[in-house]
Amino acid sequence: MKMMFANRSANINGAHHGIVVLLMSTVLFMLACHKDDDVTHPGPGGGTGGPQLPAVPFDYTTVVLPAHLAAALTNDPLIDNTPADNPITNAGATLGRVLYYDKHLSVNDVTACATCHHQDKAFTDGLVVSEGHLGGQTRRNAMPTVNARYFRAKKMFWDMRADDLETQVLMPITDAIEMGMPSLVGLETKLAGLPYYPPLFEAAFGDATITSDRISKALAQFVRSIVSVNSRYDDGVATGFVDLTPEEEAGRDLVINFDCVECHSDLTTVVGGSGHTFLVVDNSGMNTGFGANNGLDLNYLDNGIGEITGLAQDQGTFKMPSLRNVALTGPYMHDGRFATLEEVLNHYATGIQAHPNRGVQMPPGGLPLNAAQQAAIVAFLHTLTDEALATDVRYSDPF
């Protein structure tokens, strides 16, 4: 009798188990068949921890420019520093995006390019100086990797020591503080061992061979694709700035009248007097005879470009950044000494030092800006923020 009841119980339990399995299988089948165009799919290789990439690559080649920016680039195409042998492609920039966010590019798998360049901070990191793969501090504040494409002089870093973007993107990888890879050959071998990279390299370059030259080109393509051209200021150029508040409009006038545009915009529109792009920076930071120093100190521990050129005229000079998204990129200056835009404006109003290489626009002691005028300039600078940049999925972390 015990055996009969035991068999009956086993049959019932078995049937119940079979029903559960059937129901689970049906649910999983229905979920698998459900199609959602917004869902991303595992990237090539499909390994655990690999990138999640869209089935159809994002478009990195199309840049829709406001009319005034399109005109500036049409009239002066050399503003765009994209080299003929490395045009942006969707597959190349996709690979570059994966490389940019991949911590495997550091020797101990803890640091990526994006560690020091956060999308929500206009691709800076919000720190005075950045933290490297072992916790050490970098020498300088992280520059934004936005609109690097639109820099005629091509040179990169605060001291402009890299001749172009293709050179620059590899240098942090082998830097002892930043990412610590002992060699680029070692990086090639490491990436070849990750299953998602060979298909990505094949899509971008025609075969799966992984070389440092291809790593450089893909990273440069992705960085050049990070373009920020949509702000309230850009809308205002087309409408006569009717949507700016009186304070913002006053700030715009002050930025023009105090010649801020000579160092932070293109010289064509500076001469023209209106429609400043705030996209291009023609005065790169090199001292061409009119000064390029902004009077932070009389004596610099870090002499910037002067350390590279060895020229007296370049001591204490640094690459001049664009003001686009400047409200998102603090702390400010090469050493991150100013936490806020208000502190920056206070320096220009009260703290300019009489350095021999300071710009001709920089009177010792400061510019005649009162508190209300400083506040107006800060208000205007906020109109240069591209709100969509922080959430554009094309530039987001794929891991």
Side-chain angles (χ1 to χ4, degrees), residues 369-388:
L369 291 167
N370 61 37
Q373 290 172 319
Q374 293 175 51
I377 292 175
V378 170
F380 167 71
L381 292 177
H382 279 265
T383 72
L384 298 173
T385 299
D386 184 344
E387 302 289 350

Side-chain angles (χ1 to χ4, degrees), residues 44-385:
T48 302
Q52 300 292 304
L53 300 172
V56 177
F58 293 128
D59 181 8
Y60 292 100
T61 62
T62 303
V63 180
V64 179
L65 296 169
H68 67 292
L69 298 181
L73 293 172
T74 298
N75 294 334
D76 193 356
L78 293 180
I79 289 170
D80 188 335
N81 60 43
T82 303
D85 66 347
N86 194 32
I88 298 172
T89 66
N90 292 335
T94 297
L95 169 59
R97 176 188 172 211
V98 175
L99 290 164
Y100 190 90
Y101 281 97
D102 198 340
K103 294 180 180 180
H104 289 103
L105 269 67
S106 64
V107 68
N108 57 355
D109 301 341
V110 299
T111 304
C113 303
T115 301
C116 300
H117 302 281
H118 305 176
Q119 185 178 10
D120 64 336
K121 295 179 174 62
F123 292 93
T124 58
D125 62 6
L127 302 175
V128 173
V129 293
S130 300
E131 186 174 297
H133 72 288
L134 293 177
Q137 291 187 325
T138 58
R139 187 181 183 193
R140 296 178 178 131
N141 181 258
M143 299 193 82
T145 56
V146 177
N147 292 344
R149 174 179 183 173
Y150 302 122
F151 187 60
R152 186 199 319 275
K154 302 180 182 179
K155 295 178 182 292
M156 299 291 156
F157 290 120
W158 281 107
D159 56 14
M160 297 176 65
R161 66 187 183 275
D163 287 338
D164 52 38
L165 188 57
E166 280 72 12
T167 302
Q168 184 274 324
V169 292
L170 293 180
M171 293 172 73
I173 296 172
T174 55
D175 184 272
I177 292 176
E178 294 190 55
M179 300 171 79
M181 283 298 297
S183 70
L184 293 175
V185 173
L187 176 64
E188 295 168 0
T189 301
K190 186 176 185 179
L191 297 189
L194 297 172
Y196 47 89
Y197 274 118
L200 285 169
F201 275 85
E202 183 170 5
F205 296 107
D207 63 66
T209 305
I210 297 176
T211 67
S212 58
D213 179 65
R214 288 179 170 185
I215 294 168
S216 163
K217 286 181 175 178
L219 277 168
Q221 285 186 45
F222 176 67
V223 172
R224 281 199 183 91
S225 79
I226 305 174
V227 171
S228 174
V229 295
N230 297 303
S231 67
R232 288 181 56 224
Y233 172 82
D234 295 300
D235 295 338
V237 172
T239 63
F241 301 105
V242 294
D243 291 334
L244 265 60
T245 67
E247 183 180 42
E248 291 166 347
E249 179 62 24
R252 185 178 77 91
D253 290 340
L254 289 164
V255 165
I256 294 170
N257 293 336
F258 280 100
D259 295 321
C260 306
V261 287
E262 288 193 12
C263 291
H264 295 289
S265 192
D266 60 297
L267 295 178
T268 302
T269 57
V270 167
V271 174
S274 63
H276 306 293
T277 68
F278 291 102
L279 174 71
V280 183
V281 180
D282 277 332
N283 275 330
S284 64
M286 300 294 291
N287 187 351
T288 59
F290 299 97
N293 173 281
N294 64 350
L296 289 175
D297 299 303
L298 278 177
N299 299 296
Y300 284 74
L301 295 175
D302 180 350
N303 273 296
I305 295 172
E307 293 184 2
I308 305 302
T309 67
L311 299 176
Q313 69 188 42
D314 294 326
Q315 302 304 308
T317 63
F318 298 86
K319 181 177 179 180
M320 294 179 182
S322 168
L323 293 179
R324 284 195 171 253
N325 301 299
V326 70
L328 303 177
T329 60
Y332 302 98
M333 306 300 172
H334 67 280
D335 54 7
R337 69 177 64 188
F338 298 133
T340 65
L341 287 173
E342 285 76 10
E343 290 182 17
V344 173
L345 265 294
N346 186 61
H347 160 71
Y348 286 122
T350 65
I352 296 175
Q353 302 297 304
H355 192 281
N357 292 332
R358 73 185 185 281
V360 294
Q361 309 92 337
M362 303 283 175
L367 297 165
L369 291 167
N370 61 37
Q373 290 172 319
Q374 293 175 51
I377 292 175
V378 170
F380 167 71
L381 292 177
H382 279 265
T383 72
L384 298 173
T385 299

Side-chain angles (χ1 to χ4, degrees), residues 17-52:
H17 176 73
I19 292 171
V20 171
V21 170
L22 177 62
L23 287 172
M24 291 179 65
S25 299
T26 301
V27 170
L28 290 172
F29 176 78
M30 292 173 65
L31 289 172
C33 291
H34 178 71
K35 185 178 185 298
D36 185 342
D37 291 335
D38 294 329
V39 174
T40 57
H41 306 279
T48 302
Q52 300 292 304

